[in-house]
Amino acid sequence: MSNGYERELADELRDKIRSLEDKNARLMDEVQNVEAEKRSLDSELFRSQKELKRMKAEMERLKCPPLIIGTLRDLLADNRVVVKSSTGPDFIVSVSDLIPKRDLIPGSRVSMNKQTLAVMDILPAPLDPVVTGAEIIDKPDITYDDVGGLKYQMMELREAVEDPLLRPELYKKVGIEPPKGVLLVGPPGTGKTLMAKAVANATQAAFIRLVGSELVQKYIGEGARLVRELFDLAKEKAPSIIFIDELDSVGAKRLDGSTSGDREVQRTLMQLLSELDGFTPTSNIKIIGATNRPDILDEALLRPGRFDRIIDIGLPDVEGRTEIFKIHTSYMNIDGHIDTKALAMMTEGASGAEIKSICTEAGMLAIRDGRDCVTVSDFDRAKSKVMEVEKNKMSKPPALMFA
């Protein structure tokens, strides 16, 4: 009997222990759930506090009074300055202690408190979207190996641009000043922009490219302001090369009888002449112009001291065309051997751009035929298509279309 009673007590004790273990497991799960919920609430509280802090900062910013834009005119001895507000009159006001004295430069833009007109901050100089939208490349990826058939012209350009930037001591030893500007003259597609980018790559200079017609603006003085900002941008990114393409659109000859639009173009030209006179030949800013109409350029642009060196870039000869074909075909998947000399002899009068177009057209013909390599026949067909006299011309409309 005692043994049976003991077994019952043992079974009952085991059941209680099992029940307590199950209850403990449930409690541990509840503790873990509560801890996870607590962590989630803490994270949500942190995000809410961060968002509240941001909203408070935004409210404080919106509560701040508006600031007036002015121009710093003069510095006075008692930590006060003379400013010209955007409303017109000049004021003598105090300066915030947070502004370093070295930043107070006459002519700079400042922001002023609306009530006290005290100078609160120095503003950066504005740049027109036309200038900031110019093609600005810190280092072009075009190298001298990408330019073919222009050895003599590249030598002259390197002497005028690369040597003064990389080896200015050569000119000091000889006792001469390098050219200020270089004018590239030649038909379209002969590689004027390519040459300028290659020099910029070799000199590690920033390349700023702007088309001359973009400097011609509608309102009086806007074109001259763009020219000033263009040269200011070049000084900021120095060493730099300014490349003005289609220079004839802003540098045409000044005539006696002219319209108001012509006079505005002439003001822009005079500002360009002034900027060319404003920096020394030994500075780390070089200017390159390009045009295919040198006959209409103003004589003031071409005089020594502005565009000192004029480089004539004509259509490439047979050797030049051979080099250009070698450059472009080196990147292509060619089936067999391509005689670049024969191609050059068949493309008399072609420019570098047209030769590139022939290579591109040959590749497109291969793709049209479902091939991944270009053959000699593709080049023959592409040459006939690109070099055709009546290429890219629209056919005449029917006689009765506009009757």
Side-chain angles (χ1 to χ4, degrees):
M1 292 292 294
S2 60
N3 293 334
Y5 180 71
E6 289 177 357
R7 282 196 297 271
E8 291 179 359
L9 288 178
D11 293 339
E12 184 179 355
L13 182 60
R14 280 194 298 270
D15 292 339
K16 288 184 178 180
I17 292 174
R18 190 178 299 108
S19 175
L20 290 175
E21 288 178 348
D22 294 340
K23 186 176 181 179
N24 183 59
R26 289 194 299 272
L27 289 176
M28 291 296 294
D29 291 339
E30 291 179 1
V31 169
Q32 291 179 356
N33 292 334
V34 170
E35 289 179 348
E37 186 175 358
K38 179 178 179 298
R39 287 193 298 269
S40 177
L41 292 175
D42 289 341
S43 177
E44 184 67 25
L45 177 62
F46 176 77
R47 287 195 297 268
S48 300
Q49 289 176 344
K50 187 177 180 180
E51 182 67 16
L52 179 62
K53 184 177 180 181
R54 189 189 68 81
M55 294 298 294
K56 286 182 177 180
E58 182 69 12
M59 289 179 61
E60 292 296 327
R61 187 183 68 83
L62 294 176
K63 288 180 181 179
C64 291
L67 300 177
I68 301 175
I69 296 177
T71 304
L72 191 62
R73 286 294 187 86
D74 196 8
L75 306 179
L76 303 180
D78 52 352
N79 198 29
R80 295 190 299 170
V81 294
V82 179
V83 294
K84 179 180 178 60
S85 68
S86 56
T87 57
D90 293 353
F91 298 95
I92 298 177
V93 299
S94 58
V95 181
S96 172
D97 295 334
L98 300 177
I99 302 177
K101 297 291 177 49
R102 64 177 180 274
D103 294 342
L104 297 174
I105 303 173
S108 57
R109 292 198 313 161
V110 296
S111 60
M112 302 182 296
N113 186 283
K114 188 175 182 180
Q115 282 80 25
T116 64
L117 297 181
V119 176
M120 305 302 295
D121 196 7
I122 304 294
L123 301 179
L127 285 178
D128 193 273
V130 174
V131 175
T132 55
E135 182 181 2
I136 303 174
I137 309 174
D138 289 337
K139 181 187 174 184
D141 55 358
I142 302 297
T143 64
Y144 293 136
D145 295 334
D146 299 320
V147 183
L150 299 171
K151 291 182 179 179
Y152 178 74
Q153 292 87 343
M154 283 303 307
M155 179 188 68
E156 287 199 321
L157 184 61
R158 295 179 66 178
E159 289 175 350
V161 178
E162 180 180 339
D163 289 344
L165 291 176
L166 299 182
R167 297 183 294 174
E169 68 278 359
L170 296 178
Y171 291 88
K172 292 181 180 179
K173 290 179 180 178
V174 179
I176 60 173
E177 290 185 346
K180 274 189 178 181
V182 179
L183 181 62
L184 306 179
V185 177
T190 50
K192 298 184 289 294
T193 303
L194 205 66
M195 290 174 59
K197 287 186 176 182
V199 172
N201 175 282
T203 57
Q204 307 289 319
F207 183 76
I208 305 173
R209 179 180 181 270
L210 199 68
V211 180
S213 59
E214 296 178 355
L215 298 175
V216 180
Q217 298 294 310
K218 178 179 179 181
Y219 298 103
I220 295 176
E222 287 296 301
R225 180 178 58 82
L226 288 178
V227 174
R228 288 194 301 270
E229 293 183 2
L230 177 64
F231 278 82
D232 289 341
L233 179 64
K235 293 175 184 177
E236 178 184 339
K237 291 185 171 292
S240 58
I241 294 176
I242 302 175
F243 180 68
I244 303 179
D245 204 359
E246 306 296 342
L247 185 63
D248 51 275
S249 60
V250 71
K253 292 179 181 178
R254 290 168 282 185
L255 304 175
D256 294 335
S258 57
T259 63
S260 60
D262 294 332
R263 287 193 292 271
E264 176 57 24
V265 174
Q266 292 173 10
R267 292 187 189 95
T268 305
L269 171 61
M270 287 184 284
Q271 183 63 42
L272 178 61
L273 298 176
S274 175
E275 294 292 340
L276 287 172
D277 291 334
F279 64 93
T280 61
T282 55
S283 66
N284 50 4
I285 301 173
K286 294 298 174 184
I287 180 168
I288 302 175
T291 181
N292 57 358
R293 290 296 307 276
D295 54 305
I296 65 173
L297 289 180
D298 194 274
E299 295 179 357
L301 268 177
L302 305 178
R303 75 157 177 83
R306 286 171 180 154
F307 284 102
D308 303 84
R309 173 165 284 189
I310 300 176
I311 302 176
D312 188 11
I313 305 173
L315 294 173
D317 55 11
V318 175
E319 293 182 0
R321 294 195 298 273
T322 304
E323 291 183 13
I324 298 173
F325 268 115
K326 287 180 179 179
I327 291 172
H328 292 298
T329 56
S330 63
Y331 303 103
M332 302 174 64
N333 186 15
I334 305 296
D335 183 13
H337 174 69
I338 296 294
D339 189 355
T340 54
K341 184 67 175 293
L343 290 175
M345 296 181 68
M346 291 190 302
T347 52
E348 180 69 29
S351 65
E354 288 175 325
I355 292 175
K356 180 180 180 182
S357 180
I358 291 174
C359 295
T360 302
E361 187 66 28
M364 294 176 66
L365 291 173
I367 294 173
R368 179 187 299 176
D369 294 341
R371 290 179 280 107
D372 57 359
C373 58
V374 185
T375 62
V376 177
S377 62
D378 293 328
F379 281 97
D380 292 336
R381 294 158 58 195
K383 176 259 178 186
S384 300
K385 184 175 182 180
V386 174
M387 298 298 295
E388 185 181 356
V389 177
E390 295 296 325
K391 66 180 185 298
N392 299 329
K393 290 187 178 180
M394 294 179 62
S395 59
K396 293 183 179 180
L400 300 178
M401 176 177 287
F402 301 106

